[in-house]
Amino acid sequence: QVQLVESGGGLVQAGGSLRLSCAASGRDFNNYLMAWFRQATGKEREFVAAISPNGGLADYANSVNRRFTISRDNTKNTLYLQMASLKPEDTAVYYCAASSARKFRDAALYETWGQGTQVTISP
């Protein structure tokens, strides 16, 4: 099983960019489906993006499609989320997660979660 630690969150103005990282320790990172979810204050956790174990397939929520890019470097055991054209509604705690299953958007199938990193977008 892997352990996950996110970094890269912060405060940026609307229209700006930010890159989140998720460092994984443990075994077999390259066997896990990886994803980013987010949770805004007072709202449920929602799917943002996911990437297949070899990086060949990616899936995005409609709200972030064409603005966010998920990627992974299996040689560094690291997952990334490049965020551009940020909007105030992107403000949330962002979590990375790992799954042995192959359903990208089902949060219940992700067995390992990081502690989250706060992203705040000012108007």
Side-chain angles (χ1 to χ4, degrees):
Q1 194 170 5
V2 294
Q3 294 78 46
L4 305 173
V5 178
E6 303 95 334
S7 62
L11 171 64
V12 298
Q13 289 187 328
S17 298
L18 206 59
R19 188 176 83 158
L20 305 182
S21 299
C22 173
S25 59
R27 298 180 60 182
D28 301 328
F29 174 76
N30 60 351
N31 288 338
Y32 287 93
L33 170 67
M34 298 297 298
W36 290 97
F37 289 79
R38 68 186 181 186
Q39 187 168 20
T41 302
K43 296 187 177 181
E44 293 185 354
R45 188 172 298 187
E46 65 174 354
F47 170 78
V48 174
I51 189 167
S52 60
N54 68 0
L57 293 175
D59 185 28
Y60 297 92
N62 288 342
S63 59
V64 307
N65 197 23
R66 300 182 183 178
R67 298 189 298 122
F68 290 11
T69 303
I70 189 171
S71 62
R72 64 192 296 165
D73 186 338
N74 286 345
T75 66
K76 296 181 178 179
N77 284 6
T78 304
L79 174 73
Y80 302 100
L81 185 68
Q82 180 68 49
M83 305 185 292
S85 302
L86 285 161
K87 305 175 182 180
E89 50 264 44
D90 294 319
T91 295
V93 177
Y94 283 70
Y95 300 89
C96 66
S99 174
S100 299
R102 294 298 180 260
K103 290 189 176 182
F104 282 26
R105 300 192 178 202
D106 190 343
L109 296 179
Y110 287 82
E111 57 257 35
T112 304
W113 294 79
Q115 84 289 348
T117 186
Q118 176 70 47
V119 172
T120 303
I121 311 303
S122 62

